[in-house]
Amino acid sequence: MKFRYKVLFVNLIILSIILGCTGYLFVYRNYKQALESELRNAASENNMVKASLEYELLEILNSPDYSLKKDVSRIAKRVDTGMLLSGSTLYIKIEDEVVYSGDGNEADIPAELTDVGSKRYIYHDNGKEYYVYISSPGYINKANLYIITRKDITGVYTQLSDNLKFLKTISVAVLLLSALIMYVITYLLTRPLEKLNKITTQISGGDYTVRADVKSDDEVGELAGNFNAMAGSVEDHVEELKDMVKRRDQFVADFTHEMKTPMTTIIGYADSVRHLDLSEEEKDMSLDYIYTEGRRLENMSQKLFDLIYLKGNDIFMEEIDAEDLGHQIVLHMKPIMDRKNVSLNTDFEEGTVYGDIELIKTVFINLLDNARKASDEGAVVNFTGRVKPDGKYEFLVEDSGIGMDEETKKRLFDEFFMADKSRTRKEGGAGLGMSLVSIILNKHEADIRVESELGKGTRIYTEWKMESDDEETED
């Protein structure tokens, strides 16, 4: 059952209960008031009849030739005709004998009216008509006298019945009208929820681009806003997962290719040395290729190990003298640079950086080695460091080599990506250095910025913290 129907039925049940109880109490109150009014009128009428009868009876009692029953009957008839209203009937009883009956039916008088010696009333019905009997006791000539009046109150019960019928009719009409109004209201209120439900179905079917077009300032509008935010987050995560899967597949393909190339070379030259009659020069060349490709495999496996290790482990952080760090890196790279006749131009300001010294060295060894590979012989590579106004230490590696296009800059940190594959493989690279740099920078919460143009060289800026977060908090 839809939510709107549940709301509709619950509201109708509550409304019918409230309407029924309220209507019944109102009708019952009117009925009791009408009944009490009729009782007061009947009591007043009975009192007037009693007063009139007693006054006339006092006159006849002083007469020596009176007949009690005959005179009481005569006086009662005159009073009945002159004083009682339409719908009222007078009865006179002396002891147990009815001496006067206004309707000639003595059997209609309830026996319990004369069981007590005080004034009393009783409601009585014969199945069709309803009456109220009022009895006023008296004492005359040593005999008990009962003056009984009967008033027809059938109209009160008829009105009660009519009111109950009207209540039923008006209740049904109100419930039908309320049902229509509540249905429209619940439809309008739940329509945004149905939209959200349809969008949820679309998302579960794989369409993560849909959004809820619900604009309101209530909880439903807030829910729609949160839902859109959730859908956007899901879409982003799905795209990230797709990209992750794509990168994984690309990693496996690139790794397989990079492994296959040196392995094919090694197997080919090894087979030649084993089975062919080669000259010493050819053997030396083959062994040199086997050695070179073996070193490349070793380098690739080491960097793969570093990548995997860094992704799953924490690193040791300490304060490092930035100027001393720069000079250590220069000493390590100078022999490599000299092989290609590439000069290093250095300038480091005093300062400190916070991190793992060996990993930071790895970053700049990779950056400087890439700058060397991209430069021609006799070129100059700038390696400088300075303290920035925002409290970070910035290193710059700048070359005037071949540069990079936009696509290369986007994929610079992908595993096994090589901008110039022939040059990189010739130098023994495997396309893992910049991926390792990226992970090390993330571990240190350091920033990197790459500026490059084809044929105009490359500038790579890295920014490092100069103190730990704990020390910043203490300050």
Side-chain angles (χ1 to χ4, degrees):
M1 182 183 291
K2 289 188 175 181
F3 178 70
R4 74 162 65 103
Y5 296 129
K6 292 181 180 180
V7 174
L8 176 63
F9 291 145
V10 169
N11 285 330
L12 284 178
I13 291 171
I14 295 173
L15 179 62
S16 62
I17 292 173
I18 294 175
L19 186 63
C21 292
T22 304
Y24 176 78
L25 291 174
F26 182 75
V27 169
Y28 182 74
R29 179 175 177 272
N30 287 342
Y31 157 71
K32 293 296 291 183
Q33 288 178 341
L35 198 62
E36 290 173 0
S37 177
E38 292 290 343
L39 179 61
R40 286 194 298 269
N41 293 335
S44 297
E45 191 176 45
N46 182 271
N47 289 334
M48 287 189 297
V49 169
K50 180 183 178 183
S52 179
L53 282 171
E54 288 179 344
Y55 177 77
E56 294 194 27
L57 285 174
L58 286 175
E59 291 182 356
I60 66 170
L61 287 177
N62 295 324
S63 175
D65 56 346
Y66 78 93
S67 174
L68 182 60
K69 293 182 180 180
K70 187 183 294 185
D71 290 337
V72 168
S73 177
R74 177 177 55 80
I75 295 171
K77 184 176 182 180
R78 187 170 63 250
V79 172
D80 187 2
T81 304
M83 297 189 64
L84 292 183
L85 300 175
S86 176
S88 297
T89 305
L90 176 63
Y91 302 93
I92 304 295
K93 288 182 70 175
I94 297 177
E95 296 297 341
D96 294 330
E97 180 182 358
V98 178
V99 297
Y100 178 79
S101 174
D103 60 358
N105 191 354
E106 301 177 4
D108 285 344
I109 303 173
E112 54 266 32
L113 282 172
T114 57
D115 286 347
V116 295
S118 60
K119 188 170 185 175
R120 67 174 307 188
Y121 70 90
I122 189 170
Y123 296 105
H124 186 70
D125 70 273
N126 58 12
K128 294 181 180 180
E129 292 88 12
Y130 296 85
Y131 304 96
V132 57
Y133 289 83
I134 297 182
S135 174
S136 295
Y139 192 75
I140 184 171
N141 200 21
K142 300 181 180 181
N144 291 317
L145 175 69
Y146 298 96
I147 302 170
I148 302 170
T149 56
R150 184 188 73 179
K151 184 173 178 61
D152 188 353
I153 58 172
T154 303
V156 175
Y157 289 90
T158 302
Q159 184 181 10
L160 173 63
S161 178
D162 292 342
N163 287 341
L164 289 175
K165 289 179 181 178
F166 178 75
L167 175 62
K168 292 178 182 177
T169 303
I170 197 67
S171 296
V172 172
V174 169
L175 287 175
L176 290 176
L177 181 61
S178 300
L180 177 61
I181 295 173
M182 283 189 289
Y183 177 81
V184 174
I185 293 174
T186 53
Y187 173 77
L188 295 175
L189 291 176
T190 58
R191 186 169 58 177
L193 296 177
E194 288 191 350
K195 290 183 179 179
L196 289 177
N197 185 46
K198 290 180 181 178
I199 292 172
T200 304
T201 303
Q202 289 179 269
I203 291 178
S204 64
D207 185 2
Y208 301 103
T209 61
V210 294
R211 296 293 183 271
D213 185 19
V214 178
K215 298 178 181 179
S216 60
D217 297 328
D218 56 9
E219 291 81 356
V220 177
E222 185 178 351
L223 175 63
N226 293 334
F227 184 87
N228 287 337
M230 180 194 69
S233 178
V234 170
E235 183 180 12
D236 293 341
H237 280 81
V238 168
E239 291 301 321
E240 289 179 5
L241 289 173
K242 288 181 179 178
D243 183 64
M244 186 182 300
V245 171
K246 182 179 178 181
R247 289 168 62 88
R248 184 197 62 189
D249 293 341
Q250 186 65 40
F251 177 86
V252 173
D254 291 342
F255 179 73
T256 302
H257 178 75
E258 293 301 324
M259 287 289 290
K260 181 180 179 181
T261 301
M263 290 300 293
T264 301
T265 302
I266 291 172
I267 293 171
Y269 280 106
D271 187 61
S272 297
V273 172
R274 288 177 60 199
H275 297 98
L276 298 179
D277 187 13
L278 302 176
S279 64
E280 289 299 324
E281 183 179 353
E282 290 174 331
K283 285 183 179 180
D284 290 341
M285 184 184 68
S286 298
L287 292 173
D288 185 58
Y289 273 115
I290 292 171
Y291 174 78
T292 302
E293 293 302 307
R295 287 294 304 271
R296 192 154 79 89
L297 281 175
E298 180 185 32
N299 183 44
M300 183 166 55
S301 63
Q302 181 60 44
K303 287 192 175 182
L304 277 173
F305 174 78
D306 292 340
L307 283 172
I308 295 170
Y309 178 81
L310 285 175
K311 286 181 179 180
N313 292 274
D314 295 328
I315 59 175
F316 174 73
M317 308 282 278
E318 61 180 339
E319 285 189 356
I320 304 165
D321 185 288
E323 187 177 10
D324 182 60
L325 173 66
H327 291 309
Q328 290 184 42
I329 295 170
V330 170
L331 289 175
H332 180 88
M333 290 300 300
K334 191 175 186 309
I336 302 174
M337 294 291 192
D338 290 343
R339 293 175 196 169
K340 198 175 181 180
N341 196 25
V342 174
S343 301
L344 268 176
N345 180 29
T346 61
D347 182 24
F348 304 105
E349 291 184 4
E350 293 183 358
T352 59
V353 294
Y354 191 76
D356 185 305
I357 187 169
E358 294 301 326
L359 292 179
I360 296 177
K361 284 182 181 180
T362 301
V363 168
F364 292 110
I365 287 171
N366 277 280
L367 294 180
L368 289 170
D369 195 42
N370 286 342
R372 177 187 66 84
K373 294 173 184 177
S375 301
D376 295 327
E377 288 192 11
V380 177
V381 173
N382 294 319
F383 182 33
T384 61
R386 69 184 182 94
V387 178
K388 293 185 65 180
D390 61 2
K392 291 185 178 182
Y393 198 93
E394 180 185 75
F395 284 101
L396 168 64
V397 176
E398 180 181 15
D399 67 72
S400 55
I402 60 175
M404 294 181 285
D405 57 19
E406 291 300 320
E407 180 63 23
T408 300
K409 284 194 287 185
K410 289 180 181 178
R411 299 190 57 194
L412 184 61
F413 300 104
D414 291 352
E415 291 90 349
F416 297 108
F417 175 74
M418 291 175 280
D420 188 343
K421 293 188 177 181
S422 60
R423 182 183 298 220
T424 302
R425 285 173 179 159
K426 182 179 179 182
E427 297 288 344
L432 293 171
M434 292 305 291
S435 298
L436 187 59
V437 166
S438 176
I439 292 176
I440 294 173
L441 289 171
N442 287 334
K443 286 289 185 179
H444 285 79
E445 298 181 11
D447 299 319
I448 186 169
R449 186 173 81 256
V450 179
E451 298 176 358
S452 182
E453 293 183 44
L454 282 174
K456 295 184 180 181
T458 301
R459 292 173 301 280
I460 298 181
Y461 300 88
T462 58
E463 295 180 359
W464 304 81
K465 291 182 178 181
M466 297 184 66
E467 56 184 7
S468 69
D469 292 335
D470 293 339
E471 290 174 348
E472 291 175 358
T473 304
E474 289 173 2
D475 291 343

